[in-house]
Amino acid sequence: MAADVHNSKVNWDIQNESLAPIDKLRIERSDSPTPGIVEGTEPGAAQEKAMFVHTQSFEDLTAETRDTVDGDQEVESCDLTKLSNDLSQLSTHLLGQEEEQGEAEEKGEDQKVEMFDESLASVTSQDSSPCGREDICDITSDAWRNQRKHVFVLSEAGKPIYSRYGTEEALSSTMGVMMALVSFVEADKNMIKSIHGDGYKVVFLRKSPLVLVSVARTRQSEQELSRELCYIYYQIVSLLTITQLNQIFERKQNYDLRRLLAGSEHLNDNLLKQLDRDPGFLLSAVTCVPLAVSTRDIITSSLQAAKAKNLVFSILLAGNQLVSLVRKKDQYLHPMDLHLLLNLVGSSSSFREGEGWTPICLPKFNPSGFFHAHISYLDSSSDLCLILISTSREDFFCLSDCKHRFLERLWRRNAFQNLLEALQTPTYPVDLVGIPELRHFVYKSKSSGLYTSPELPPTYLVDEEQERLMGLYQYLHGRIHNSRNPLRYIYHCGQRENLLAWVTSGFEMYLCFSPLGTKVLAMNTVTKLLKWIRKEEDRLFILSPQTY
Amino acid sequence: MKTVFVKYLSICLCFPFHSPRMASGSQEKLYGPSLLNFFIYNPKFGPREGEVRWLFSHMFEGSVSWHNSIAIFLFPPHRTFCPTKPAKSLHTQKNRQFFFEPEEHFWMVMVVKNPMIERPSKGGKPDLEYQEEEIFFALLHSQLFNGRFSKAMDEGGVALLRERLEKFFYRYLQALHLGSCDLLDVFGGISFFPLDKMTYLKIQSFVNQMEQSLNLVKYTAFLYNDQLIWSGLEQDDMRILYKYLTTSLFPRHSEPELAGRDSPMRPEMSGNLLHYGRFLTGPTNLKDPEAKFRFPKIYVNTENGYEELHLIVYKAMSAAVCFMINATAELTREFCEQLDNLVGPRLTLLASDICEHHNINRRTPGLEKEPHFKFIYFNHMNLAEKSTIHMRKTASVSLTSVHPDLMKILGDINSDFSRVDDDEEIIVKTMTDYWVVGKKSDQRELYVILNQKNANLIEVNDLCASQILAG
């Protein structure tokens, strides 16, 4: 079996002729990175084509989705049409269900609807009060008012769909007012963007047929807040698809979408929590589990081998981190779609109980069609979760088989054990870099769409502090990627920490120093850190993404 | 109603944008921000539906009706989130509306059109792209020139108030140049004239003597070259008076002096050949038997309310003195003549004194050559401002020597500073390789722009430190 490993290695080299052996490449890749580094040679850059749709981290997600859709769309177009047929069937069923007013549990419903219900149920079975909704549901209380960030979703008829805090019922009048504002401004062929007050911002995002509103007391810019709203919008789309969403509201303008989304609130709750804490969402990037390159290669090749006809993406996750991703040739995953998958897996525990099978729309890939995702944990005790995404609705058993083949391969090569061992230390302390004043950093390689960041130092372990640090990163990110006035470099001295943000064509990095750090130190740190990342890049990044 | 109604407010809107400007190289037309509407409004008026609640409204281009803006108040969602602090501005794709409540229930609303880029599209119909721009708006709340709205209400009811507002704002808004406002307007500071001790003492003794001899005078302010030297007023009042003097009154009266003594342009002013003194407010010619001795009235804040004052501005060459006299006193021809005779010669002398010192100081070496850094400094404590970015502040346009984009970055940094109370320092490098340093310490703010493309962070830091010490 050891020979097998070797073989695959060889194959791998031949398959990709452009890809020189790693050692040779190492020489070409500059060792002490300079700002002049071009995209694709920065530490962590993928040696081959990246696995993600190339995005800028400041990408304006409010842009129309349709632009990104085409091009990627030769994907078994027949499959997709079939899909959309299924979909319209599904939606008619759902609508039928709605007309029957809550008698959805009735037997005799079509299998598809059941499937959809199940998927929602599976998604929703987690504890229903993740953020203590009860304590703060009184919308007249100060506690409710003083929340850092409110998010509301409503329909164009002013019907509440989602509120981060408090119950939607209690907020129906507030939402009505918001909708009135929106349509009032629109009556003048204008579009409301935001309201600014002393210390707070109200940002509106209009995504017909929905209206999303965020009320924030953070330092985030309007641009960043509407990006977050966009995530919430796509989260909703990923459950329904745009087509269905439009159909529902075309049929009945004042439809109460909560009926359809019932139980999925915690997906939004969790997403919002992640948006406040996970730098990946900010950077449109994902982070990888630090893993020896040999182990990762075995996993990747095993994923590669376990292919099926309709399989588009195989993704192995460990918690919020990526272990490996294999994709169909010419099909790229958008980081945002991956974030939604991460969110789906991360916010429900039900997938642990067995193999899950759920339709999911990847809005950045195609907002009008469903994929079908086979989601299962490899091992009950670990966070290792395998997501297999197929275009076919009937593929459950086929994908289940893929999973077994994959697992079998892993076992045969003893990679599974290595992986579990590596997962014992899914993060690394910042001390490894060897700069005492450096508290934390986030480094993103632009071409690969991957980022790396050490674990949070003790200073930022409290939720509040963690969100404050993220708030500072968000602030720097917003400033440096300001659409009007982009910057190259920001050094920010505050009372509690010093921060440095630097964006080049190849990478971007955000560093957090103790307040005692000097500017000289910051400059030296950058060089030292880049060298360190270069040294560790094959552990921290996926340098050679694969296709089937 | 002859009260000169000059409420000075609402400075600062936006950074320099010359509209319309042709962007180089392409066929894009860039329009700067422009004022669409301005309202003053009281929701307490006209409780019944359809009744007029506004006190003043002025529409430019007439594209947005007043209903449009005011209706915002009818359903303020922002109250839900912060009942004590209502919203300050509303941004839409096309315009921005700014709200300001100078007195309870009195609202000022200003609608500003966003700057936009017009691109000739293939179809022939111009494709308008609205460009979001940070528009600064700071309504300075002052009762300097008109007293409180509510007081006017008590005196003469709504009609009187409306009439006064109409008078003042009509002229004021005409003179408002939205496109050329920048960071200095946000600060609304006072530029102080640098002076050596001796000359300063001379001025102080002059002021004291004048207050002694003209015992009607309650407050005095002394300016030279549009910069403040001495003021007896409260800071906030002085700030607004200063703004009025430098951007409105002085520019209006500068031409005759430039015209030269013998030119026909120069009107038969005081007829006094012994000195250059003349009144900028009140009578233009004392000898004229028809001359009316009326001066504008201003309102300043005191411990218990406010007081009404006559404002006399007297100028000789570059030096100007403001005398403020209680409004109850009647100002006669005799008083004005006395003032003219007393102040005129001495002020003329003082002005040439200051001028001499100023020129000596200016000749000190090192300052002649173009420095490679420029800065803006503002102190919130004494409202002192200093700028080497602005060439000269004139009535309508402030000429800056740096690119508008850089000014915007300064504005961004400033708005970040104003959001937090802590001291902060930010150093950024722009896409055009300029370094911009913003520093906030205590109540002071300093912004430096460096044009050193190849400098690194450390060098920039050292340079700034040395320059600040030197400066």
Side-chain angles (χ1 to χ4, degrees):
Chain A
M1 287 306 127
D4 200 29
V5 181
H6 201 71
N7 267 341
S8 84
K9 192 92 181 161
V10 172
N11 268 342
W12 179 86
D13 275 344
I14 296 165
Q15 260 175 12
N16 313 291
E17 288 171 353
S18 62
L19 189 65
I22 288 195
D23 296 350
K24 197 177 160 194
L25 256 162
R26 190 44 64 69
I27 303 159
E28 284 161 19
R29 292 158 81 89
S30 70
D31 196 41
S32 83
T34 54
I37 279 184
V38 276
E39 192 166 340
T41 58
E42 77 273 9
Q47 289 166 9
E48 211 193 351
K49 273 185 165 178
M51 56 196 151
F52 297 115
V53 176
H54 193 83
T55 56
Q56 301 289 358
S57 56
F58 53 90
E59 186 195 21
D60 188 9
L61 297 177
T62 50
E64 270 308 311
T65 46
R66 268 163 223 124
D67 306 353
T68 48
V69 175
D70 50 31
D72 288 348
Q73 256 2 318
E74 337 92 354
V75 209
E76 308 108 45
S77 48
C78 54
D79 274 37
L80 283 180
T81 36
K82 195 171 139 244
L83 245 181
S84 64
N85 281 342
D86 290 346
L87 212 155
S88 47
Q89 274 182 347
L90 182 65
S91 60
T92 35
H93 282 299
L94 284 165
L95 286 168
Q97 184 189 10
E98 171 248 313
E99 274 147 24
E100 279 160 50
Q101 296 270 339
E103 289 164 50
E105 303 101 273
E106 260 190 340
K107 294 155 204 170
E109 279 278 11
D110 196 284
Q111 194 196 348
K112 285 162 212 150
V113 178
E114 263 170 33
M115 217 187 265
F116 188 81
D117 280 350
E118 265 165 33
S119 70
L120 271 187
S122 65
V123 149
T124 59
S125 59
Q126 221 196 359
D127 56 342
S128 55
S129 58
C131 48
R133 292 166 83 92
E134 285 78 24
D135 324 340
I136 34 181
C137 65
D138 179 12
I139 64 156
T140 50
S141 69
D142 279 349
W144 184 81
R145 269 201 187 108
N146 291 331
Q147 290 296 333
R148 259 177 87 248
K149 197 184 284 164
H150 283 279
V151 174
F152 308 99
V153 182
L154 45 145
S155 72
E156 275 171 343
K159 283 235 174 176
I161 294 170
Y162 169 77
S163 163
R164 188 179 187 184
Y165 305 106
T167 56
E168 290 84 8
E169 288 83 5
L171 285 164
S172 53
S173 65
T174 312
M175 302 239 189
V177 168
M178 286 172 181
M179 195 54 227
L181 262 177
V182 170
S183 43
F184 188 82
V185 176
E186 272 171 14
D188 203 42
K189 292 194 178 56
N190 204 338
M191 199 159 74
I192 191 164
K193 288 271 180 79
S194 59
I195 295 175
H196 298 231
D198 223 4
Y200 67 95
K201 278 194 195 93
V202 186
V203 178
F204 294 83
L205 180 67
R206 187 79 162 73
K207 285 277 188 187
S208 185
L210 303 181
V211 177
L212 299 98
V213 184
S214 167
V215 180
R217 286 169 199 282
T218 57
R219 267 178 102 164
Q220 281 165 292
S221 66
E222 198 183 317
Q223 198 183 333
E224 302 271 317
L225 288 169
S226 70
R227 219 178 74 99
E228 292 189 2
L229 288 179
C230 216
Y231 259 106
I232 295 293
Y233 170 72
Y234 283 129
Q235 175 61 58
I236 292 170
V237 169
S238 83
L239 295 174
L240 296 172
T241 72
I242 279 192
T243 329
Q244 196 183 338
L245 199 61
N246 286 334
Q247 272 176 4
I248 290 168
F249 284 102
E250 268 164 30
R251 282 191 172 209
K252 200 174 170 193
Q253 235 199 336
N254 61 351
Y255 181 73
D256 189 354
L257 197 64
R258 277 182 302 156
R259 265 188 235 160
L260 212 50
L261 296 177
S264 71
E265 292 89 353
H266 72 282
L267 279 178
N268 290 334
D269 289 341
N270 192 55
L271 182 63
L272 285 168
K273 208 161 122 196
Q274 291 297 321
L275 280 167
D276 281 342
R277 297 203 182 154
D278 191 339
F281 286 84
L282 187 67
L283 297 170
S284 286
V286 278
T287 184
C288 308
V289 183
L291 205 58
V293 68
S294 57
T295 317
R296 202 186 309 267
D297 281 347
I298 295 171
I299 294 165
T300 310
S301 64
S302 307
L303 276 178
Q304 241 178 315
K307 62 183 170 190
K309 186 170 145 266
N310 294 322
L311 196 58
V312 190
F313 298 110
S314 310
I315 305 161
L316 185 63
L317 300 173
N320 258 342
Q321 293 168 300
L322 189 64
V323 180
S324 185
L325 186 151
V326 179
R327 59 186 172 80
K328 207 172 189 102
K329 219 169 174 194
D330 301 326
Q331 301 306 322
Y332 296 92
L333 191 60
H334 194 285
M336 195 163 181
D337 289 337
L338 185 56
H339 284 149
L340 293 179
L341 284 170
L342 279 170
N343 185 45
L344 176 70
V345 173
S347 40
S348 68
S349 53
S350 62
F351 292 118
R352 285 191 179 276
E353 286 152 17
E355 294 174 48
W357 181 241
T358 172
I360 182 164
C361 167
L362 299 179
K364 276 289 180 183
F365 193 93
N366 174 14
S368 49
F370 272 123
F371 280 107
H372 297 266
H374 177 277
I375 301 173
S376 59
Y377 280 83
L378 296 189
D379 182 83
S380 55
S381 57
S382 73
D383 277 341
L384 279 173
C385 180
L386 180 68
I387 306 176
L388 299 169
I389 293 174
S390 157
T391 50
S392 165
R393 193 160 40 88
E394 320 289 347
D395 254 3
F396 177 82
F397 295 105
C398 174
L399 294 190
S400 186
D401 180 50
C402 284
K403 179 200 167 186
H404 289 298
R405 276 190 285 150
F406 166 65
L407 265 180
E408 201 181 313
R409 249 172 192 270
L410 277 194
W411 279 111
R412 252 191 289 155
R413 301 180 185 182
N414 297 325
F416 196 63
Q417 212 47 47
N418 292 344
L419 180 58
L420 286 182
E421 268 164 37
L423 283 182
Q424 301 292 313
T425 51
T427 56
Y428 53 95
V430 70
D431 304 341
L432 280 185
V433 187
I435 303 156
E437 282 84 1
L438 184 66
R439 283 183 178 173
H440 190 250
F441 69 86
V442 181
Y443 169 91
K444 180 197 171 187
S445 146
K446 278 191 181 174
S447 59
S448 66
L450 296 167
Y451 79 93
T452 185
S453 181
E455 64 197 24
L456 286 167
T459 340
Y460 299 106
L461 277 182
V462 199
D463 281 359
E464 243 167 66
E465 284 296 295
Q466 187 185 345
E467 279 175 17
R468 198 176 63 81
L469 179 66
M470 258 310 283
L472 288 167
Y473 285 150
Q474 283 167 343
Y475 157 68
L476 291 177
H477 182 267
R479 266 280 164 263
I480 213 160
H481 290 305
N482 188 322
S483 53
R484 293 179 293 115
N485 263 320
L487 302 168
R488 286 178 196 282
Y489 210 96
I490 301 179
Y491 185 80
H492 176 272
C493 293
Q495 298 269 295
R496 295 201 258 178
E497 56 271 293
N498 293 344
L499 297 150
L500 177 74
W502 188 17
V503 174
T504 71
S505 61
F507 63 85
E508 57 185 279
M509 57 201 295
Y510 301 86
L511 283 70
C512 172
F513 298 95
S514 80
L516 299 175
T518 60
K519 284 158 196 147
V520 182
L521 178 104
M523 288 306 288
N524 297 337
T525 304
V526 169
T527 329
K528 205 167 168 186
L529 181 62
L530 282 174
K531 271 188 185 157
W532 183 81
I533 293 172
R534 170 67 87 210
K535 192 162 71 78
E536 300 283 327
E537 65 175 349
D538 46 8
R539 237 166 51 78
L540 301 177
F541 294 93
I542 299 175
L543 298 178
S544 46
Q546 295 298 304
T547 57
Y548 296 122
Chain B
M1 275 295 96
K2 284 290 174 73
T3 326
V4 177
F5 204 90
V6 193
K7 163 138 181 165
Y8 224 80
L9 86 168
S10 85
I11 317 165
C12 340
L13 287 144
C14 171
F15 288 143
F17 252 108
H18 314 291
S19 59
R21 184 180 70 176
M22 294 296 284
S24 57
S26 68
Q27 292 245 299
E28 290 178 5
K29 250 186 193 168
L30 197 62
Y31 292 101
S34 56
L35 188 61
L36 284 180
N37 281 7
F38 187 89
F39 320 103
I40 297 170
Y41 162 81
N42 189 333
K44 291 271 154 170
F45 296 172
R48 271 171 292 129
E49 199 64 32
E51 225 167 304
V52 184
R53 298 178 182 202
W54 50 274
L55 294 163
F56 173 82
S57 100
H58 192 98
M59 279 195 271
F60 297 81
E61 297 181 30
S63 60
V64 185
S65 72
W66 63 270
H67 306 267
N68 232 342
S69 167
I70 277 163
I72 296 304
F73 292 105
L74 301 179
F75 15 71
H78 34 277
R79 294 270 193 198
T80 315
F81 299 104
C82 202
T84 49
K85 292 177 194 162
K88 288 196 293 199
S89 67
L90 171 85
H91 297 204
T92 70
Q93 196 181 28
K94 287 185 189 171
N95 54 42
R96 299 205 175 170
Q97 307 185 354
F98 299 93
F99 314 121
F100 181 62
E101 189 178 19
E103 282 172 47
E104 211 185 354
H105 302 311
F106 285 89
W107 285 91
M108 292 187 189
V109 185
M110 190 158 179
V111 185
V112 179
K113 194 171 172 186
N114 281 349
M116 59 180 183
I117 297 171
E118 188 179 289
R119 284 201 184 98
S121 65
K122 289 158 208 156
K125 194 181 156 210
D127 184 22
L128 295 184
E129 181 188 319
Y130 290 96
Q131 191 187 346
E132 285 283 315
E133 285 294 337
E134 205 60 52
I135 299 172
F136 284 90
F137 186 78
L139 277 165
L140 273 189
H141 173 206
S142 92
Q143 274 88 37
L144 187 66
F145 281 92
N146 65 332
R148 290 178 182 275
F149 291 160
S150 45
K151 191 206 154 215
M153 281 274 292
D154 296 342
E155 279 175 1
V158 187
L160 174 75
L161 183 56
R162 238 175 232 165
E163 188 185 345
R164 287 188 179 185
L165 289 169
E166 193 78 36
K167 257 190 191 149
F168 166 62
F169 280 108
Y170 183 73
R171 214 169 62 192
Y172 176 75
L173 292 175
Q174 295 288 334
L176 191 63
H177 292 264
L178 277 176
S180 62
C181 293
D182 64 19
L183 191 61
L184 274 190
D185 297 300
V186 175
F187 291 141
I190 299 171
S191 177
F192 288 94
F193 189 78
L195 211 58
D196 63 309
K197 272 183 206 153
M198 270 312 288
T199 327
Y200 184 76
L201 281 174
K202 271 188 202 164
I203 290 166
Q204 191 146 32
S205 93
F206 164 78
V207 168
N208 287 340
Q209 271 185 13
M210 290 308 118
E211 284 187 3
Q212 191 70 38
S213 336
L214 307 164
N215 48 17
L216 278 176
V217 172
K218 191 144 188 205
Y219 305 105
T220 317
F222 193 103
L223 291 93
Y224 185 84
N225 220 355
D226 289 2
Q227 288 171 304
L228 188 67
I229 294 178
W230 203 90
S231 156
L233 275 182
E234 286 294 324
Q235 216 165 54
D236 280 337
D237 291 326
M238 194 56 225
R239 168 191 226 168
I240 295 149
L241 181 63
Y242 179 78
K243 189 84 195 169
Y244 164 71
L245 292 173
T246 51
T247 61
S248 176
L249 187 68
F250 289 164
R252 252 188 284 150
H253 290 87
S254 61
E255 290 79 17
E257 281 174 357
L258 295 172
R261 225 192 138 90
D262 298 324
S263 118
M265 278 274 292
R266 192 176 166 87
E268 197 75 21
M269 283 189 348
S270 56
N272 195 337
L273 298 176
L274 296 171
H275 61 83
Y276 291 90
R278 63 197 173 96
F279 287 96
L280 294 193
T281 58
T284 44
N285 191 348
L286 286 177
K287 297 281 190 300
D288 182 0
E290 298 288 301
K292 294 220 165 65
F293 295 92
R294 279 220 187 83
F295 292 92
K297 274 185 196 157
I298 61 168
Y299 298 79
V300 298
N301 294 308
T302 56
E303 276 168 18
N304 34 13
Y306 54 91
E307 66 183 307
E308 206 174 340
L309 301 165
H310 290 295
L311 173 69
I312 303 175
V313 184
Y314 191 86
K315 196 172 180 186
M317 300 201 284
S318 291
V321 210
C322 304
F323 297 108
M324 281 147 275
I325 294 164
N326 201 313
T328 48
E330 201 176 324
L331 300 178
T332 59
R333 175 185 295 268
E334 289 71 40
F335 176 78
C336 290
E337 276 169 358
Q338 186 198 358
L339 192 143
D340 189 45
N341 290 334
L342 192 70
V343 180
R346 293 212 46 188
L347 191 61
T348 311
L349 205 65
L350 208 51
S352 56
D353 249 20
I354 302 170
C355 182
E356 208 171 286
H357 277 278
H358 184 52
N359 287 341
I360 291 170
N361 288 338
R362 243 212 308 226
R363 245 175 265 128
T364 46
L367 287 173
E368 296 292 319
K369 68 169 194 280
E370 173 83 357
H372 49 252
F373 76 100
K374 293 189 169 131
F375 70 90
I376 293 183
Y377 166 85
F378 181 69
N379 187 339
H380 287 275
M381 288 289 275
N382 61 2
L383 303 177
E385 68 179 19
K386 200 167 160 90
S387 164
T388 58
I389 287 172
H390 297 76
M391 321 268 216
R392 185 178 164 81
K393 195 112 178 121
T394 58
S396 50
V397 217
S398 66
L399 293 167
T400 53
S401 52
V402 298
H403 194 269
D405 282 350
L406 285 172
M407 288 309 287
K408 276 186 224 143
I409 290 172
L410 293 187
D412 287 344
I413 295 175
N414 170 258
S415 67
D416 287 341
F417 281 164
S418 59
R419 222 164 287 154
V420 274
D421 296 330
D422 297 344
D423 289 355
E424 280 188 352
E425 181 180 351
I426 296 178
I427 302 176
V428 306
K429 191 178 190 188
T430 67
M431 297 309 264
T432 46
D433 287 325
Y434 277 96
W435 286 91
V436 179
V437 183
K439 205 163 185 160
K440 179 184 169 195
S441 162
D442 233 357
Q443 297 277 310
R444 289 161 301 175
E445 288 179 31
L446 176 73
Y447 303 86
V448 184
I449 296 175
L450 283 159
N451 181 15
Q452 291 205 316
K453 292 194 190 317
N454 299 320
N456 66 23
L457 190 61
I458 303 161
E459 287 160 8
V460 168
N461 186 44
D462 293 349
L463 204 68
C464 271
S466 64
Q467 299 294 1
I468 289 162
L469 286 178

